[in-house]
Amino acid sequence: MSQANSTVGTKRIERCFAALKSQNRPALVSFLTAGDPDPETSQRLLDGLPEAGVDIIELGMPFSDPMADGPAIQKAALRALAAGQTQAKTLAMVKRFRETNRDTPIVLMGYYNPIYRYGVERFLKDAADAGVDGLIVVDIPPEHDDELCTPAARYGIDFIRLATPTTDAKRLPRVLESASGFIYYVSVAGVTGVGAPTPEKLERAVAELKQHTSLPVGVGFGIRTPEQAATIGCFSDAVVVGSALVERIEHAKTPDEAVAGVHGLAKELAQSVRRCREAVTVEGE
Amino acid sequence: MNQPVNPALALPDANGLFGQFGGRFVAETLMPLILSLQEEYESAKQDADFQRELAYFQSDYVGRPSPLYFAERLTEHFGGAKIYLKREELNHTGAHKINNCIGQVLLAKRMGKKRIIAETGAGMHGVATATVAARFGLECVIYMGSTDIERQQPNVFRMKLLGAEVIPVTSGTGTLKDAMNEALRDWVTNIDDTFYIIGTVAGPHPYPAMVRDFQAVIGHETRRQMEEKEGRLPDSLIACIGGGSNAMGLFHPFLSDESVHMVGVEAGGKGVATGQHAASLNGGAPGVLHGNRTFLLQDEDGQIIDAHSISAGLDYPGIGPEHAWLHEQGRVEYVSATDDEALEAFQICCREEGIIPALETAHALAEVAKRAPTLPKDHLMVVNLSGRGDKDMMSVAHYLGDKFQ
């Protein structure tokens, strides 16, 4: 069990949401794939996210067969793997990030096989040592909690569960049962970065979720613009942007351009979520 | 090797596990669908009307039972075991694949689904799926790797004729595993109206058990036919394995019969030692992919490695979880045959029996070539002749090159 890098008492994710609640604004959660487009640029991208205004960082562990991802994130994983990314290198990136940042939560996101192959206990120990705060593992439903979710708790690592448009009233308690950190609401039935959620439906879904859990509820999949982030941030505790950021890397001609593109969009998104509830309040008055 | 399995185990368990293998490793979006499919399948199994309808289509549409044919000339050629061929290639659409497709399309109809999707490698499962979709008036989309589309043109044309849309998959390496990724992405996007007909004994629970049950008709018939012809059980069963559905269908009804030796033949490609093969059990390690834990071809970091085989239908980096379990239990012996060995056996079968087998099936025949000569003449060997080889004409001509001119 490792307490390294974790402040005794509350956990980073919990502290982050508590602080944002007092500021009455949602969290901006960014997603990037570790090692994309190359290890060095990826580290620069990661290290600059907090300054750009990102509150919680999701870092993708690249996998050769990302079944739940759309084209943008599939390509990011392949770029990272082609540049030699491994699980060990991803953990090392987090460790290096923690040398200068002790506060911004990092959630590793990916698929089970690379973790399974690394060895579950060894992975959890190394992740806790590196300063990882949470895990999102797409292909482990609550039916397989004993694989990773339950062991993660022993290392103080949150296991963030996805709720989706197909999660009905019968299914929801099962999903919430072992969840920690926050609940990630998947806004559209589909893969990442494809399809746009309708805000009205989303607002109802988030309100429904909040009746059943005291955990913060974040929304992701298909959120691309500062405007969308602001709309959804009005009624959710966090907005997750992934594919739109990742595409800035895909379209960049140089590493510098990738870094500028990603941090530039992150800044716009951050400004947008910081203002979104003010705007509503003003209009309401 | 070949310890009998206790039939009382009735695997998989409630979580879809065969020992440590199998399970339901899918995204949350798919969980409610998979759970309702399981419920529906359980109720259909108990439903006499469903079973009657299935039996009707198996006989009058598929053409079952398929013959258990005494291959006299092959037996003479190898000079050992008495060889029987279970003629699955005589089924409608030319392979065992339709046994499963008929079962699943009846379930889809029962669940009120309007759209069928499937992945395909060699195209045999795609053709079988397109066929049943046409028969039941359902929209059909088939995902096929772009590499496979090139080497299996006749099947692509057949699927289109049957009214299916064939979507080329260029992601990854454009083979079967990528087609399966893309089919899963389609399914998660079109949850309300779509039924995913998985073609092999893999994927999340209940697919491995359900596909096995629909394919088990092969083994049940074999048992009865062998009893009629020889008055006893066969001594050995041999089948090729990609995902492993034709093998599981033949083996499963015999698992608790101690005297029946079973051999699954994986695609050894250019040789298991070269790394260019599709032998998950002989050259892979346990991992989690496409909804189940099983043996996978993967690197040290858990990234999936591309399979290689002369036959597109065996070109998959995993294997059904029940096979992984039977391997671990030592109930079934798993071996491999190389591309060259399969090609050689392919030609022997053509010339000796006048039957052109699929390249997939030729891997099982390659094992027969190794094993039959060493066995006594009263040894009864059944080979699952899982598919016919018309689709492979261009590939075989290409591989045989000058010899064919």
Side-chain angles (χ1 to χ4, degrees):
Chain A
M1 223 156 292
S2 172
Q3 290 296 321
N5 289 313
S6 71
T7 308
V8 179
T10 53
K11 297 193 271 187
R12 263 187 219 108
I13 294 176
E14 197 179 332
R15 269 186 283 142
C16 172
F17 278 108
L20 294 180
K21 196 169 184 180
S22 68
Q23 296 170 34
N24 187 31
R25 72 169 180 89
L28 173 63
V29 183
S30 67
F31 173 91
L32 293 174
T33 298
D36 174 31
D38 61 71
E40 193 197 333
T41 311
S42 186
Q43 187 78 50
R44 281 170 66 199
L45 285 163
L46 174 66
D47 292 347
L49 288 171
E51 201 192 312
V54 168
D55 301 299
I56 297 174
I57 295 169
E58 273 182 26
L59 193 59
M61 299 172 279
F63 181 46
S64 53
D65 293 78
M67 284 92 66
D69 285 300
I73 295 177
Q74 287 174 42
K75 281 186 257 178
L78 292 180
R79 281 195 299 270
L81 291 174
Q85 192 67 12
T86 61
Q87 291 289 92
K89 285 182 185 171
T90 299
L91 293 171
M93 273 181 75
V94 177
K95 198 164 198 156
R96 206 169 132 195
F97 174 87
R98 282 278 171 255
E99 285 168 10
T100 54
N101 181 307
R102 314 269 303 171
D103 301 316
T104 308
I106 291 193
V107 174
L108 293 184
M109 183 168 188
Y111 298 81
Y112 188 28
N113 199 52
I115 296 172
Y116 183 74
R117 184 72 170 162
Y118 193 93
V120 167
E121 293 291 331
R122 179 177 156 230
F123 175 81
L124 289 171
K125 182 185 176 299
D126 290 355
D129 283 345
V132 169
D133 303 286
L135 291 174
I136 300 177
V137 183
V138 182
D139 52 357
I140 307 186
E143 278 74 2
H144 291 297
D145 266 355
D146 54 341
E147 296 277 339
L148 187 61
C149 174
T150 310
R154 287 191 268 110
Y155 288 87
I157 295 178
D158 287 325
F159 202 84
I160 291 132
R161 285 263 172 232
L162 306 182
T164 77
T166 61
T167 313
D168 55 15
K170 188 176 147 206
R171 177 83 188 149
L172 188 58
R174 190 82 208 255
V175 171
L176 296 177
E177 201 181 347
S178 51
S180 51
F182 62 97
I183 301 295
Y184 187 133
Y185 184 71
V186 174
S187 66
V188 286
V191 293
T192 52
V194 180
T198 46
E200 298 74 24
K201 261 196 186 167
L202 262 181
E203 187 165 5
R204 276 200 303 277
V206 170
E208 174 69 24
L209 262 179
K210 283 182 149 299
Q211 284 183 8
H212 293 93
T213 181
S214 53
L215 290 172
V217 176
V219 176
F221 278 43
I223 304 174
R224 306 184 57 86
T225 65
E227 293 71 30
Q228 277 176 307
T231 310
I232 292 164
C234 282
F235 54 79
S236 67
D237 301 308
V239 287
V240 188
V241 180
S243 295
L245 289 168
V246 165
E247 281 167 14
R248 296 282 172 115
I249 302 175
E250 184 186 345
H251 297 140
K253 290 183 191 72
T254 63
D256 286 344
E257 203 181 311
V259 173
V262 168
H263 291 161
L265 178 56
K267 271 179 200 149
E268 289 175 46
L269 291 161
Q271 282 164 9
S272 191
V273 299
R274 275 165 179 75
R275 283 197 304 255
C276 69
R277 291 188 195 157
E278 289 166 24
V280 172
T281 316
V282 172
E283 276 169 29
E285 276 167 2
Chain B
M1 272 298 168
N2 271 256
Q3 295 300 307
V5 165
N6 180 0
L9 287 175
L11 294 177
D13 69 12
N15 285 319
L17 293 169
F18 303 87
Q20 62 159 320
F21 300 106
R24 280 182 289 230
F25 294 93
V26 295
E28 184 56 37
T29 311
L30 291 179
M31 274 309 291
L33 275 85
I34 280 167
L35 293 172
S36 81
L37 173 62
Q38 189 188 337
E39 254 173 52
E40 198 70 31
Y41 177 56
E42 290 303 323
S43 97
K45 267 204 289 195
Q46 311 300 324
D47 180 348
D49 285 341
F50 180 87
Q51 293 302 333
R52 233 188 327 272
E53 203 179 5
L54 179 60
Y56 164 75
F57 280 101
Q58 279 178 344
S59 73
D60 288 22
Y61 191 68
V62 175
R64 304 206 68 88
S66 67
L68 183 67
Y69 162 71
F70 169 43
E72 198 177 347
R73 297 251 301 153
L74 265 189
T75 300
E76 276 171 29
H77 180 86
F78 292 124
K82 189 168 184 184
I83 301 164
Y84 280 89
L85 303 178
K86 180 61 174 161
R87 301 287 303 274
E88 289 298 303
E89 100 283 10
L90 293 178
N91 294 336
H92 181 37
T93 72
H96 69 290
K97 291 292 184 190
I98 196 150
N99 301 332
N100 165 49
C101 290
I102 274 289
Q104 288 200 47
V105 83
L106 289 173
L107 265 184
K109 197 177 70 142
R110 194 181 158 94
M111 294 174 84
K113 303 290 185 184
K114 304 280 182 245
R115 181 171 175 269
I116 299 292
I117 59 170
E119 83 293 336
T120 197
M124 296 311 277
H125 175 57
V127 168
T129 302
T131 297
V132 299
R135 171 58 186 78
F136 290 91
L138 302 170
E139 185 189 341
C140 182
V141 174
I142 305 291
Y143 289 93
M144 188 166 183
S146 52
T147 310
D148 290 340
I149 285 182
E150 264 173 52
R151 56 178 171 175
Q152 303 288 343
Q153 269 300 326
N155 272 346
V156 176
F157 186 58
R158 285 168 84 193
M159 287 184 269
K160 287 181 178 168
L161 271 178
L162 291 160
E165 182 187 356
V166 181
I167 299 185
V169 176
T170 52
S171 61
T173 45
T175 59
L176 184 52
K177 84 172 170 77
D178 307 295
M180 197 154 180
N181 289 336
E182 215 51 45
L184 283 164
R185 290 180 188 121
D186 178 311
W187 200 24
V188 84
T189 309
N190 300 289
I191 37 174
D192 292 329
D193 65 343
T194 297
F195 190 102
Y196 181 14
I197 299 189
I198 293 183
T200 192
V201 286
H205 182 58
Y207 282 99
M210 182 168 72
V211 176
R212 171 197 74 197
D213 293 349
F214 288 135
Q215 291 293 1
V217 66
I218 302 172
H220 288 301
E221 283 177 9
T222 300
R223 199 179 179 98
R224 201 175 59 236
Q225 290 164 324
M226 192 56 101
E227 181 64 34
E228 283 164 15
K229 287 173 195 294
E230 300 278 354
R232 66 178 181 92
L233 289 173
D235 297 304
S236 62
L237 308 174
I238 298 183
C240 67
I241 297 195
S245 71
N246 89 77
M248 193 53 69
L250 177 62
F251 295 169
H252 196 259
F254 294 97
L255 286 180
S256 54
D257 296 302
E258 203 169 342
S259 67
V260 183
H261 189 89
M262 302 177 193
V263 185
V265 188
E266 298 190 291
K270 295 178 179 166
V272 173
T274 66
Q276 290 196 296
H277 59 84
S280 320
L281 290 178
N282 287 297
V288 175
L289 180 72
H290 293 153
N292 61 136
R293 172 160 36 224
T294 187
F295 275 75
L296 299 172
L297 303 182
Q298 55 182 319
D299 68 13
E300 286 301 304
D301 206 44
Q303 308 299 336
I304 306 305
I305 294 174
D306 292 316
H308 166 84
S309 170
I310 187 173
S311 90
L314 304 182
D315 212 343
Y316 180 69
I319 185 167
E322 192 165 9
H323 284 295
W325 181 73
L326 291 169
H327 171 67
E328 205 184 57
Q329 296 295 307
R331 174 61 187 101
V332 177
E333 182 182 355
Y334 292 92
V335 298
S336 64
T338 63
D339 290 348
D340 289 345
E341 290 168 337
L343 265 175
E344 179 64 26
F346 173 92
Q347 295 172 82
I348 293 171
C349 188
C350 291
R351 287 195 306 257
E352 298 296 326
E353 290 293 346
I355 295 172
I356 300 177
L359 277 176
E360 290 75 15
T361 311
H363 288 72
L365 294 166
E367 181 61 22
V368 174
K370 292 177 200 170
R371 199 170 287 253
T374 70
L375 293 165
K377 293 194 186 319
D378 62 350
H379 179 104
L380 302 179
M381 175 180 277
V382 176
V383 187
N384 199 352
L385 209 84
S386 54
R388 69 180 188 217
D390 310 46
K391 67 183 173 62
D392 295 316
M393 289 301 92
M394 296 314 288
S395 306
V396 173
H398 169 75
Y399 281 100
L400 293 180
D402 287 344
K403 271 198 277 179
F404 209 62
Q405 300 296 313

